[in-house]
């Protein structure tokens, strides 16, 4: 049996490079499909089509009104005509103008309603993304969090999703309307004058080619911008979580230097990305203006030749100018779209991450109290690096087994395997004869109460934190568990007792008191198996004695695994296992192992600085 390390080292930030260029369109399509699944999206398209149709009809009506006015001005007046007849001649013009006014007003109303539907579609998509991300975190294996910094993961769920929402809010209805408007304008322009339409549309390929070139230059820089932002957020989160350590070692300036480095990376990438993406709009505007000059000249020649009316030329020029608007808008939004798609790629990468091995159909049924067997167990974090090989151990119900050894011996790895944070890669672990892999993880963990090295308390009352161990626990049960863990006394000394609200930093209670609350939570769960991984590492000597007495009382009828570096906490264990490189090099009770003078005795003497102490070998 051998173990290289007991824990997997964290490997960098786990920051990905974002979606490769070849996947950019696929990511954009996936994002559009997500939005398109929302019912308001269909209504948004219908309202957008109605708004564009009405908007396109407006210049035709205005052109018709112009032709009527020109016809009236150039028509010969019969002798004896009076003012009344002139007023009657203006009636058709008034009707056309009133109709145009109504068309533009109805178009605006459709546009407002379309914006409301777009907002609904976007916010529902964001709601689904956040829900999917939260559910995904619950399904991810522990290995994922071992290789990805918390700040980086949080950045995807918060900043990247917010960026997606902002991108969709700025572009969805605008781009939809722009595309529909471009199609409508092209159809009407071809109807009015194919020659002028060809001239007006000739500039489009050149403008779009320039925009595409600038977009390709901007995309990798946008990817780097959001990756750099993820690294910056990870650093800020890490420094905030360990601010006490930073101050204790006077590393504030060093932390600030790292922050400046990440901040500078965000600045450089964002500046370069916006430089390229922001250049597309002025390029498009310049090319369009050239096209307008040519259209105006050719249109005047057509009027002079009598092949077009002034009203048709007026309408066409309006359409040409309208066409430049959506084209310019499309190009100006290209950088925003690219930024949103990059963020979408980062979020989709999280949602597509490999999940825990799905629970099989539960074939086993746990009967009895805590018989644990490790049968020729093998485990490795990396396929080419075996950590545990051929490890066997039997723990009878009701016995307390202490696992000790130097750092890296494999103690915490055994806990992770028992809780199925990881699955064994060889052999099997059984609970009362049932392979753990034949149990649902929820079923298995209902039989195990764990107090791990990291003290975790959520924002809420102390009673809520203890009650987390059993759904529907009564106040009496919560207080009984606290008394059993010797936490009741200090809780009642707090201003609000069990109703004292803890914030994110657990202000007002010490680290040892926080640990006692987590122990009370495990006791309330009333599990068949207790796993205490360095559970007393943060308590003082007096509290440690109280906890040991409570553990002795509450361990009756339960199987207990005690992982400890402080050997004073394992003296009363039924058996002590000494691990080294995944092997059980010694086992027995405290007096026996101490008398044997082996690895345990060396650990004990080194820890308590007895004469003749030497380092463990």
């Amino acid at each position: 049996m051998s173990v290289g390390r007991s824990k997997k080292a964290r490997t960098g930030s786990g920051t990905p490079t974002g979606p490769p260029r070849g996947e950019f369109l696929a990511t954009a399509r996936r994002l559009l499909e997500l939005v398109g699944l929302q019912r308001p999206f269909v209504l948004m398209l219908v309202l957008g089509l109605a708004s564009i149709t009405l908007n396109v009809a407006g210049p035709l009506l205005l052109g018709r009104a112009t032709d009527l006015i020109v016809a009236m001005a150039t028509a010969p007046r019969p002798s004896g005509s009076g003012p009344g007849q002139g007023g009657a001649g203006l009636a058709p013009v008034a009707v056309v103008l009133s109709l145009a006014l109504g068309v533009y007003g109805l178009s605006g109303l459709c546009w407002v309603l379309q914006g409301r539907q777009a907002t609904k579609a976007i916010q529902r998509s964001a709601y689904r993304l956040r829900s999917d991300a939260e559910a995904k975190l619950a399904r991810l294996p522990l290995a994922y969090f071992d290789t990805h910094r918390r700040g980086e993961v949080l950045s995807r769920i918060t900043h990247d999703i917010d960026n997606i929402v902002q991108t969709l809010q700025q572009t969805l209805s605008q781009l939809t309307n722009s595309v529909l408007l471009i199609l409508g304008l092209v159809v009407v322009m071809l109807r009015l004058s194919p020659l002028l339409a060809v001239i007006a549309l000739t500039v489009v390929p050149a403008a779009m080619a320039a925009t595409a070139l600038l977009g390709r230059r901007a995309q990798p820089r946008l990817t780097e911008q959001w990756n750099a932002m993820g690294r910056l957020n990870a650093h800020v989160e890490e420094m905030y979580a360990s601010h006490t350590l930073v101050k204790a070692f006077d590393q504030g300036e060093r932390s600030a230097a790292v922050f400046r480095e990440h901040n500078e990376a965000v600045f450089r990438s964002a500046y370069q990305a916006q430089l390229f993406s922001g250049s597309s709009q002025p390029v498009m505007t310049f090319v369009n203006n050239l096209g307008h000059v040519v259209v105006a000249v050719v249109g005047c020649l057509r009027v002079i030749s009598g092949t077009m009316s002034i009203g048709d030329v007026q309408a066409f020029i309006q359409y040409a100018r309208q066409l430049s608007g959506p084209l310019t808008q499309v190009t100006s939004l290209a950088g925003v779209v690219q930024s949103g798609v990059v963020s979408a790629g980062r979020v989709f990468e999280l949602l597509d991450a490999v999940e825990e091995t799905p629970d099989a159909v539960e074939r086993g049924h746990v009967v009895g109290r805590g018989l644990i067997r490790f049968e020729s167990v093998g485990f490795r974090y990396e396929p080419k690096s075996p950590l545990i090989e051929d490890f066997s151990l039997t723990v009878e119900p009701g016995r307390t087994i202490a696992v000790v050894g130097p750092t890296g011996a494999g103690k915490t790895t055994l806990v992770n395997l028992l809780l199925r944070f990881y699955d064994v890669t060889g052999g099997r672990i059984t609970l009362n004869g049932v392979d753990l892999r034949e149990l649902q993880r929820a079923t298995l963990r209902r039989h195990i109460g764990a107090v791990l090295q990291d003290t975790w308390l959520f924002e809420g009352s102390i009673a809520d934190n203890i009650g987390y161990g059993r759904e529907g626990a009564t106040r009496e049960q919560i207080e009984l568990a606290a008394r059993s863990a010797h936490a009741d006394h200090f809780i009642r000394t707090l201003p609000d007792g069990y109703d004292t609200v803890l914030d994110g930093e657990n202000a007002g209670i010490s680290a040892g008191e926080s640990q006692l609350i987590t122990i009370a939570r495990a006791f309330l769960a009333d599990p068949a198996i207790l796993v205490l991984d360095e559970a007393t590492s943060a308590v003082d000597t007096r509290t440690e004695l109280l906890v040991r007495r409570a553990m002795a009382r509450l361990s009756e009828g339960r199987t207990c695994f005690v992982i400890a570096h402080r050997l004073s906490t394992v003296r009363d264990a039924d058996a002590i296992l000494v691990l080294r490189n995944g092997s059980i090099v010694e086992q027995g009770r405290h007096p026996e192992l101490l008398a044997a003078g082996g690895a345990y005795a060396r650990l004990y003497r080194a820890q308590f600085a007895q004469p003749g102490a030497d380092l463990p070998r």
Side-chain angles (χ1 to χ4, degrees):
M1 298 181 291
S2 66
V3 166
R5 292 182 304 175
S6 64
K7 295 182 180 179
K8 185 179 182 181
R10 295 183 181 270
T11 56
S13 66
T15 302
T17 59
R21 184 176 300 174
E23 297 180 7
F24 184 84
L25 292 179
T27 302
R29 283 195 299 269
R30 184 173 175 182
L31 182 59
L32 286 177
E33 289 172 1
L34 174 68
V35 180
L37 291 175
Q38 313 304 320
R39 184 177 300 176
F41 180 76
V42 178
L43 294 175
M44 184 201 76
L45 291 178
V46 172
L47 290 167
L49 182 60
S51 177
I52 295 304
T53 302
L54 294 169
N55 197 37
V56 168
L60 286 175
L61 293 172
L62 294 177
R64 176 60 179 164
T66 299
D67 285 339
L68 289 173
I69 293 173
V70 171
M72 290 174 54
T74 58
R77 293 186 180 184
S79 61
S81 60
Q85 291 178 325
L90 290 175
V93 177
V95 170
V96 173
L97 291 177
S98 299
L99 184 59
L101 181 62
V103 164
Y104 280 124
L106 189 57
S107 174
L109 177 62
C110 290
W111 183 80
V112 171
L113 295 176
Q114 181 201 27
R116 294 184 61 180
Q117 297 302 319
T119 300
K120 284 184 182 179
I122 293 167
Q123 293 303 324
R124 288 182 181 180
S125 300
Y127 176 86
R128 180 177 174 182
L129 274 179
R130 293 189 183 99
S131 299
D132 289 348
E134 191 278 334
K136 183 70 177 186
L137 292 180
R139 298 193 301 268
L140 288 173
L142 190 62
Y144 183 89
F145 300 99
D146 282 342
T147 55
H148 292 74
R149 297 170 67 181
R150 287 189 300 176
E152 166 67 19
V153 176
L154 291 175
S155 181
R156 297 181 188 223
I157 299 175
T158 55
H159 292 87
D160 282 304
I161 291 181
D162 285 344
N163 187 49
I164 293 171
V165 172
Q166 293 300 321
T167 298
L168 292 175
Q169 200 72 53
Q170 294 178 46
T171 63
L172 184 60
S173 60
Q174 290 91 328
L175 287 178
T176 302
N177 287 349
S178 295
V179 172
L180 292 175
L181 182 58
I182 289 170
L183 295 176
L185 291 174
V186 169
V187 171
V188 177
M189 290 167 68
L190 287 171
R191 175 182 172 275
L192 286 175
S193 173
L195 175 60
L196 292 181
V198 170
I199 295 173
L201 297 176
T202 300
V203 301
V204 175
M208 297 303 292
T211 301
L213 177 62
L214 292 170
R216 283 196 296 270
R217 299 292 298 274
Q219 180 186 333
R221 291 163 176 83
L222 285 166
T223 301
E224 176 55 31
Q225 173 188 344
W226 286 102
N227 287 336
M229 181 64 72
R231 293 191 292 270
L232 177 65
N233 290 331
H235 173 73
V236 171
E237 190 274 339
E238 186 177 74
M239 290 303 99
Y240 177 77
S242 57
H243 65 277
T244 302
L245 186 65
V246 172
K247 290 183 177 295
F249 284 89
D250 194 23
Q251 292 296 314
E253 182 56 37
R254 180 178 178 184
S255 174
V258 176
F259 176 85
R260 287 193 295 270
E261 179 181 344
H262 289 311
N263 200 22
E264 180 70 21
V266 173
F267 168 78
R268 286 196 306 269
S269 56
Y271 173 77
Q272 293 173 0
Q274 296 307 316
L275 181 65
F276 284 105
S277 62
S279 300
S280 57
Q281 183 172 355
V283 170
M284 175 66 81
T285 302
F286 173 73
V287 175
N288 283 332
N289 286 335
L290 290 179
H292 293 158
V293 172
V294 177
V295 167
V297 172
V298 175
C300 290
L301 295 176
R302 299 276 288 173
V303 171
I304 294 173
S305 66
T307 55
M308 287 185 72
S309 68
I310 294 178
D312 287 343
V313 173
Q314 172 193 321
F316 192 95
I317 292 176
Q318 282 186 277
Y319 286 133
R321 296 195 66 84
Q322 282 187 347
L323 180 64
S324 65
L327 288 175
T328 302
Q329 188 173 51
V330 168
T331 56
S332 66
L333 293 175
V336 180
V337 170
Q338 286 182 317
S339 176
V341 172
V342 168
S343 288
R346 285 164 50 82
V347 174
F348 290 148
E349 189 174 49
L350 170 66
L351 297 178
D352 294 339
V354 178
E355 299 180 1
E356 280 187 319
T357 305
D359 280 327
V361 177
E362 196 159 82
R363 298 188 298 271
H365 181 63
V366 177
V367 178
R369 296 284 292 180
L371 173 61
I372 299 293
R373 294 184 188 275
F374 290 78
E375 301 177 2
S376 302
V377 167
F379 177 72
R380 55 186 68 195
Y381 288 109
E382 301 293 342
K384 298 181 180 180
S385 304
L387 299 178
I388 297 178
E389 291 185 312
D390 195 27
F391 181 90
S392 296
L393 173 68
T394 298
V395 183
E396 298 293 336
R399 288 171 61 84
T400 297
I401 303 298
V403 183
V404 301
T407 300
K411 303 183 295 299
T412 301
T413 299
L414 295 181
V415 173
N416 290 338
L417 294 177
L418 183 61
L419 289 166
R420 280 198 73 193
F421 291 154
Y422 294 94
D423 280 326
V424 298
T425 54
R428 67 175 191 158
I429 304 174
T430 65
L431 171 58
N432 298 331
V434 179
D435 192 322
L436 299 188
R437 290 168 294 189
E438 296 181 358
L439 297 172
Q440 297 283 331
R441 288 182 175 86
T443 301
L444 168 65
R445 291 165 187 169
R446 279 197 296 269
H447 289 80
I448 302 175
V451 180
L452 305 178
Q453 295 183 48
D454 295 330
T455 301
W456 179 79
L457 299 175
F458 58 83
E459 185 171 347
S461 70
I462 291 178
D464 290 339
N465 272 276
I466 297 175
Y468 197 78
R470 181 192 301 176
E471 187 174 357
T474 66
R475 185 61 168 257
E476 291 73 18
Q477 292 171 326
I478 291 173
E479 293 180 3
L480 176 61
R483 286 194 295 273
S484 301
H486 295 280
D488 179 77
H489 175 72
F490 91 80
I491 293 174
R492 293 188 183 278
T493 62
L494 297 173
D496 297 318
Y498 283 87
D499 295 319
T500 300
V501 176
L502 304 177
D503 59 18
E505 295 296 315
N506 302 334
I509 63 174
S510 67
E513 290 167 340
S514 298
Q515 191 69 279
L516 287 177
I517 293 175
T518 64
I519 294 173
R521 177 196 296 161
F523 290 154
L524 178 64
D526 190 27
I529 302 168
L530 283 173
V531 176
L532 306 173
D533 186 1
E534 300 290 346
T536 60
S537 59
V539 299
D540 55 57
T541 304
R542 179 180 179 278
T543 306
E544 179 185 329
L545 293 174
L546 296 176
V547 172
R548 284 170 57 190
R549 293 172 186 170
M551 288 169 52
R553 182 171 67 255
L554 293 172
S555 63
E556 295 177 2
R558 294 184 177 87
T559 303
C560 294
F561 282 84
V562 180
I563 312 297
H565 283 296
R566 295 171 64 174
L567 301 185
S568 59
T569 63
V570 302
R571 293 172 179 172
D572 299 326
D574 296 313
I576 299 173
L577 307 181
V578 183
L579 293 186
R580 183 192 302 149
N581 297 330
S583 301
I584 302 176
V585 295
E586 280 187 315
Q587 75 180 82
R589 293 181 63 85
H590 172 75
E592 300 168 357
L593 295 176
L594 206 58
Y600 180 82
R602 289 193 294 272
L603 282 171
Y604 190 85
R605 290 198 302 269
Q607 187 168 122
F608 291 97
Q610 293 185 359
D614 54 1
L615 294 176
R617 294 194 296 271

